[in-house]
Amino acid sequence: MRKLIFLSFIFAPAFSFAGDKKSLSGNWKEVSRKKVNNDAIPFTDSIRFEFLTGNEYIWQKAGGFIYKGTYKIEGNALDIGMRAFTIVERKPNKLVLKDEAGIYEFVSYKPAPNTPAAKRQEVYAPINNIQQMVGHWSVYKRTSDHKTEQIDYTRQLKMVDIYDKQQDGKWGTFHAQRDADGAPSWYIENYANQTIYCDGKDKRQFKVIKCENNELILSEAGVTYYFKQFK
C-alpha cells in the first residue's frame, strides 16, 4: 500500500500536465535556440509566450511588437496561425518546439508582479493570409529607429494596393513617393510568415505588424509605415 501511495505522488504531476493535450497554459520564455542540426544559435530577441484560456496566446520577441491570436494542437503539431511548430518535448516546466528554422527551448516562469498595463497595449492579431489586407492604403505616418541624413523619395513608400486575388501573377503593388499613379516600382509576389515579399525595381520585404481597425502597419529595416484607407 505504501508503495502504491508513493508512486501516485511521483506520477501525479505528469498525469496533471498530460490531462489536456490540446491546450497549453502559463508563461514561457525562450532560453535556448539551436539549428536543426543542434548547433547553438546566439540570440538576443528571446521569445515569450503566454497561453490563455480559450486557446488564445500572446507572443512577443524581446524589443518587438506583441501579437495575440488563437492556437491549435493536433498530435504534436502546434499551429499559432503565423507560424507552425512541432512539439518535441512537453513537461510542466519545459517546452521544446521545432520548425524548419530551428529548435527552441522554453521554461515556465512567473511574470513580475504589478506589470504596467501599458505593456499590453500593442497586441495585434496575426495576419494569416493576404486577403485580410485587401484595399488601397495610403501612408499617413512614418517612424524610424535611426537617423536619416537624406530621404530617398524613390524608395520611401506612398501607397499600397493589395488585391483579393492574383492579377497577372501579382498580389498588389507598392508606390514610392516619386512614382506616378499607375506606375508602381514594386509588386507583391508572395505573402508568408507575416511578411510581404516584393519584386520590381529591386526585391524588398515588409513585415506586417498590424491590419485592423482601418490601419495597416508595415516595417522594413527599422522604418515603420502607418497606412489608412481614406474614402
Side-chain angles (χ1 to χ4, degrees):
M1 176 62 72
R2 288 183 179 180
K3 184 176 181 180
L4 289 174
I5 294 173
F6 176 72
L7 288 174
S8 69
F9 278 109
I10 291 177
F11 290 108
F15 290 152
S16 176
F17 185 74
D20 186 357
K21 295 183 178 180
K22 289 187 176 293
S23 67
L24 292 163
S25 63
N27 294 270
W28 300 83
K29 60 182 178 181
E30 183 186 15
V31 294
S32 170
R33 189 180 301 178
K34 300 177 182 178
K35 296 180 182 179
V36 291
N37 63 0
N38 282 324
D39 289 344
I41 300 176
F43 65 97
T44 57
D45 57 341
S46 180
I47 301 168
R48 290 178 185 261
F49 264 120
E50 182 180 356
F51 293 100
L52 310 170
T53 57
N55 280 54
E56 291 188 344
Y57 73 88
I58 294 174
W59 151 295
Q60 184 185 27
K61 281 190 173 184
F65 287 90
I66 300 172
Y67 297 93
K68 183 177 181 180
T70 58
Y71 69 91
K72 179 175 63 176
I73 296 177
E74 292 292 343
N76 65 341
L78 170 63
D79 183 355
I80 66 171
M82 62 179 179
R83 294 180 69 171
F85 298 96
T86 298
I87 301 175
V88 177
E89 188 174 352
R90 181 180 177 185
K91 294 181 178 179
N93 297 308
K94 182 179 179 182
L95 179 66
V96 181
L97 304 178
K98 179 181 179 180
D99 64 9
E100 294 179 354
I103 302 170
Y104 317 88
E105 180 181 337
F106 297 83
V107 296
S108 63
Y109 75 100
K110 290 185 177 181
N114 301 320
T115 301
K119 290 188 176 181
R120 292 284 181 88
Q121 288 179 353
E122 293 181 320
V123 177
Y124 306 130
I127 311 305
N128 299 319
N129 58 72
I130 199 166
Q131 283 81 8
Q132 292 177 249
M133 299 178 283
V134 170
H136 176 78
W137 300 90
S138 299
V139 174
Y140 75 91
K141 183 174 72 171
R142 303 172 192 83
T143 61
S144 177
D145 64 3
H146 57 275
K147 184 178 180 180
T148 304
E149 297 296 335
Q150 187 174 1
I151 298 175
D152 185 353
Y153 291 101
T154 67
R155 295 188 63 77
Q156 188 181 77
L157 297 183
K158 174 176 62 175
M159 60 186 183
V160 174
D161 286 291
I162 300 178
Y163 310 147
D164 60 350
K165 59 184 178 180
Q166 284 185 307
Q167 300 180 18
D168 298 324
K170 303 173 183 178
W171 283 103
T173 58
F174 276 60
H175 281 74
Q177 290 286 347
R178 291 278 174 85
D179 290 347
D181 291 349
S185 289
W186 302 273
Y187 66 88
I188 302 173
E189 60 177 354
N190 190 28
Y191 176 74
N193 298 323
Q194 297 281 132
T195 304
I196 295 175
Y197 296 89
C198 294
D199 204 346
K201 186 165 67 175
D202 60 355
K203 288 186 177 293
R204 299 179 73 172
Q205 297 180 15
F206 296 91
K207 189 71 176 178
V208 179
I209 305 302
K210 173 188 177 183
C211 187
E212 57 187 54
N213 300 323
N214 191 35
E215 185 176 48
L216 174 67
I217 304 177
L218 307 179
S219 68
E220 178 200 36
V223 178
T224 303
Y225 294 91
Y226 299 78
F227 299 81
K228 283 189 180 293
Q229 294 191 29
F230 297 99
K231 295 182 180 180

